[in-house]
Amino acid sequence: MAQGGDVKLGQLTRYIFTAPNWKQSLVLIVLLGLIIDGANARAWLNLPVSGNVAFTLPAVLSNYLALPEKFLFSGTIAFTIPAIAALALTKPMIEASGKTMTWNRSGLLALSCTVFGVIITLAALAFSVKLIPLFYAISLGFIFGLRLFVLVAIADYRIPRMILPALTQSGVGILAGMLLFSPYFGIFALVLHIVFGLGFAILIWMIERPLQRAFKIRGLAFVNAFIAHMTDGSKGMEDFFREIGEEIFVPQVSFFFRRDTRKPLIFTVPNLHPGPMGEIGGGNLPKILHDSFDDETLVAHGCATHDFNLVSESESNKVIDALNKSRRDLVYSAGAGKSGRLSIGSVQLLYQRFGDSVLLVTTRSPLKTEDLDFSIGSTIMAEGHRWFPQVAVVDAHNCMTDLSSPVLLATLTATEYQRASVDAMEVCRTTPLLPFRAGVSHLTLPYSREQGFGDLGIQVMIIDVEGQRTAYVLIDGNNMAAGVREALLGQVLTLVDHAEVMTTDSHVVNTITGKNPVGMHVPVSDLIPYVMQAVRAAIDDLAPAESAASTAHCEHIVVFGSNRISQLASTVNAMLVFVAPLSLAMLLLAFLLSLVAYAVMG
């Protein structure tokens, strides 16, 4: 099966890495300069002499470059000092313009440019020592262009604002070249700065063009926003999502349980996706909805893919308003049916009837259980409306084998979901309604988002119908590692008759990659005691209950939009294919222009 756009977009994370500590970069910068100084000192003392002609490096440099013999080509002067200046000045200069830059990134950029500078400069030795000033000037021009490109990408997409921060390393390098070679070196180096600066500016324009034409957004401005989000939690990315977003109208089925003296509870199933990442968009939608109600609220994962990511956190207010409207004039029922399980093909389903409504919890575990497209849920709900006015379809989202594409309508898997759901509702419509008890518990966990756990921890709802107990275990996280669901379920079923272990699919646990499932960082053996504690607490909380269900009509919700993820991923992947050849062509052109300038000025 072809990979979906969300998977292709997730694979782009291989280009993301963490900059090393700036102190490490500084040490390497100093070492590079000292190594070159040491090589020069060795050449000064040890190069052989043939007859009466000295072939020592100082003599050669004096002969070809008109330098006083007391000067060596110093690596510390040519490379280390400019790099240290860039490391020290880049961050303050960028932050003075209101943008962000870390010392670690400043150090890595300075080190990288130093390495390129050394390679380009010493490449002159393959031809003639006489060419060292030319190649050093070329290296400074390249460093300026490269720094401009990188800073535009990670700090501020506006090129004019990044010219001075980009000039710090090569600018000091020009002064070093004037000291080592000749005052005229500065004029030639500035000409090459213009050549390479224009070359990289054109490259930036060419890279941004596809996203500008397709989505009317600045590609590097989007990257700036992403870096800002990674650095200080900025939500600037939401502005870009809103530009490409579109409005949708989706139903949200909720079950409301009231008990005499116990805390009421809500089990709600939004057909929206809690993504794309961190606190951006709807990434923390389950927690936001939970905290918006006095009732203990369980927010299960409905039928929605990344196309239904909220463009900003503020869109969740529309969902809250719709849910509040839907709970007006509720008609409660004291009856519930006994739960049951059935399987069709690869799909397993836990079903239970509450009054005139039905709850369906689906999974394919131990096969991968990923997002279900909204069209599948909508079709199942439409089928069920023959018998039930409210039909809630939950994607348990509880088995991740790898980043995978969502389940789409008309596929074999989608057909199995539909057939299993219809068969379950056929059973439910003849199931007798009996008095029931409901219990709920909420247990926070001592684990972090980085370990795969969202802020809500574990929530458990227990439904007891004439002694038959069904546990709905909901863990705040984005999917489960393969096998975790089975291990947890095996333990939970020692206390109840039926159960399912679900995740909210909260993307608050994902900041870079979409793969951070429950059980990947915390062994399931460590998690089992907490789950069992939550289940026992919910059993202890059992009390006679009544239920009512309603469908909230979430209107004018702005989400990414149909196929936007696929379009965005395709555009970005196409850009990456052409970046390398475009960069090479631009560098070759700049190098040729450098030679022309050298010939003209010589």
Side-chain angles (χ1 to χ4, degrees):
M1 182 183 294
Q3 291 179 330
D6 51 337
V7 176
K8 293 179 180 178
L9 202 60
Q11 291 174 343
L12 296 179
T13 57
R14 66 181 181 270
Y15 297 107
I16 300 174
F17 60 91
T18 302
N21 188 281
W22 66 270
K23 295 177 183 178
Q24 298 175 6
S25 299
L26 178 60
V27 169
L28 292 174
I29 288 170
V30 173
L31 285 176
L32 277 173
L34 292 177
I35 289 171
I36 295 173
D37 289 345
N40 285 338
R42 181 179 178 84
W44 178 283
L45 296 173
N46 299 327
L47 280 181
V49 176
S50 176
N52 294 323
V53 180
F55 287 93
T56 61
L57 183 58
V60 172
L61 288 174
S62 298
N63 183 35
Y64 285 105
L65 305 177
L67 294 175
E69 283 200 18
K70 64 179 180 178
F71 280 101
L72 286 170
F73 179 73
S74 170
T76 298
I77 295 175
F79 301 114
T80 301
I81 293 176
I84 292 175
L87 193 161
L89 295 175
T90 302
K91 174 180 167 65
M93 292 176 70
I94 288 176
E95 292 185 344
S97 65
K99 296 297 182 178
T100 60
M101 182 77 173
T102 65
W103 288 114
N104 291 344
R105 291 184 186 131
S106 180
L108 179 61
L109 180 57
L111 172 62
S112 301
C113 290
T114 301
V115 172
F116 281 117
V118 170
I119 293 173
I120 294 172
T121 301
L122 297 186
L125 298 178
F127 305 98
S128 170
V129 177
K130 184 178 180 179
L131 296 178
I132 283 181
L134 168 63
F135 277 71
Y136 183 61
I138 290 175
S139 75
L140 294 180
F142 175 79
I143 287 173
F144 170 67
L146 179 62
R147 287 180 59 84
L148 182 65
F149 178 81
V150 172
L151 293 178
V152 164
I154 70 173
D156 192 336
Y157 69 94
R158 292 163 291 192
I159 294 177
R161 293 195 177 193
M162 291 296 101
I163 290 177
L164 287 179
L167 190 59
T168 51
Q169 188 163 353
S170 57
V172 177
I174 291 176
L175 298 177
M178 293 171 66
L179 174 66
L180 291 171
F181 306 126
S182 164
Y184 297 105
F185 175 86
I187 299 174
F188 179 60
L190 287 174
V191 171
L192 295 192
H193 270 61
I194 295 173
V195 170
F196 277 93
L198 287 175
F200 275 94
I202 294 171
L203 178 62
I204 291 169
W205 178 84
M206 295 174 71
I207 290 174
E208 286 204 310
R209 190 65 176 163
L211 282 175
Q212 182 71 34
R213 289 176 62 88
F215 300 101
K216 308 299 181 186
I217 63 174
R218 298 288 300 271
L220 292 179
F222 179 80
V223 176
N224 292 170
F226 176 76
I227 296 295
H229 167 66
M230 296 296 297
T231 303
D232 57 15
S234 167
K235 294 189 177 182
M237 293 173 68
E238 293 183 348
D239 296 333
F240 294 92
F241 295 148
R242 189 170 292 279
E243 288 185 35
I244 68 173
E246 63 182 31
E247 288 186 348
I248 61 170
F249 299 74
V250 290
Q252 177 171 331
V253 178
S254 303
F255 293 89
F256 302 87
F257 298 90
R258 67 183 184 187
R259 303 175 296 169
D260 290 340
T261 59
R262 305 289 180 97
K263 188 175 184 178
L265 62 135
I266 302 172
F267 189 99
T268 186
V269 188
N271 290 302
L272 295 165
H273 195 269
M277 68 185 77
E279 301 278 357
I280 298 294
N284 209 11
L285 181 64
K287 178 70 159 57
I288 293 171
L289 294 184
H290 172 273
D291 293 349
S292 299
F293 299 95
D294 294 330
D295 315 53
E296 183 59 41
T297 305
L298 285 75
V299 184
H301 182 39
C303 297
T305 67
H306 279 270
D307 287 338
F308 280 15
N309 283 331
L310 303 182
V311 297
S312 71
E313 184 179 313
S314 62
E315 291 298 312
S316 59
N317 293 329
K318 300 176 184 178
V319 179
I320 296 167
D321 291 342
L323 191 54
N324 276 322
K325 291 178 182 178
S326 73
R327 66 187 303 182
R328 297 173 184 169
D329 304 320
L330 291 174
V331 178
Y332 283 85
S333 168
K338 291 188 175 182
S339 64
R341 297 195 73 98
L342 58 80
S343 299
I344 296 292
S346 63
V347 174
Q348 303 174 52
L349 194 146
L350 173 65
Y351 58 85
Q352 189 158 25
R353 177 180 176 181
F354 296 95
D356 61 356
S357 304
V358 66
L359 173 62
L360 308 173
V361 183
T362 64
T363 182
R364 295 182 72 236
S365 184
L367 300 178
K368 63 182 180 182
T369 303
E370 254 302 336
D371 295 336
L372 299 180
D373 190 75
F374 172 69
S375 58
I376 297 173
S378 180
T379 302
I380 294 172
M381 293 167 68
E383 288 272 7
H385 287 163
R386 290 181 291 171
W387 310 299
F388 304 103
Q390 325 296 339
V391 178
V393 184
V394 176
D395 170 16
H397 212 262
N398 54 8
C399 184
M400 172 178 277
T401 56
D402 199 355
L403 290 177
S404 54
S405 301
V407 180
L408 301 178
L409 191 65
T411 61
L412 173 61
T413 303
T415 302
E416 292 174 347
Y417 274 103
Q418 291 171 289
R419 288 177 53 198
S421 299
V422 170
D423 288 356
M425 289 185 287
E426 284 274 14
V427 175
C428 284
R429 74 187 183 95
T430 59
T431 297
L433 297 177
L434 304 167
F436 73 98
R437 296 186 300 158
V440 67
S441 68
H442 184 183
L443 180 67
T444 56
L445 296 173
Y447 303 122
S448 66
R449 294 178 176 182
E450 290 74 22
Q451 292 174 294
F453 293 87
D455 305 334
L456 289 175
I458 300 173
Q459 295 171 283
V460 177
M461 179 177 74
I462 301 285
I463 302 297
D464 184 317
V465 181
E466 286 197 340
Q468 186 215 48
R469 291 177 177 175
T470 306
Y472 299 90
V473 181
L474 183 62
I475 299 176
D476 194 20
N478 181 2
N479 221 314
M480 292 184 181
V484 172
R485 175 255 188 187
E486 281 69 28
L488 295 177
L489 201 59
Q491 294 297 313
V492 172
L493 288 175
T494 63
L495 301 178
V496 298
D497 300 287
H498 289 301
E500 190 55 82
V501 183
M502 307 164 280
T503 67
T504 61
D505 194 24
S506 171
H507 278 51
V508 76
V509 301
N510 306 114
T511 54
I512 295 180
T513 175
K515 189 173 182 179
N516 190 18
V518 171
M520 185 169 78
H521 298 292
V522 177
V524 67
S525 58
D526 293 347
L527 185 58
I528 286 175
Y530 294 105
V531 171
M532 297 300 285
Q533 179 183 344
V535 172
R536 291 190 181 96
I539 292 174
D540 293 340
D541 188 58
L542 283 169
E546 296 179 317
S547 69
S550 68
T551 299
H553 297 283
C554 304
E555 301 177 342
H556 304 287
I557 307 294
V558 185
V559 298
F560 279 20
S562 300
N563 300 316
R564 287 295 192 182
I565 289 293
S566 296
Q567 294 171 11
L568 183 61
S570 298
T571 302
V572 172
N573 276 285
M575 287 167 51
L576 292 176
V577 168
F578 291 104
V579 164
L582 281 175
S583 301
L584 180 60
M586 198 61 63
L587 288 175
L588 288 175
L589 177 60
F591 183 75
L592 290 175
L593 290 176
S594 300
L595 295 180
V596 171
Y598 179 71
V600 171
M601 297 183 68

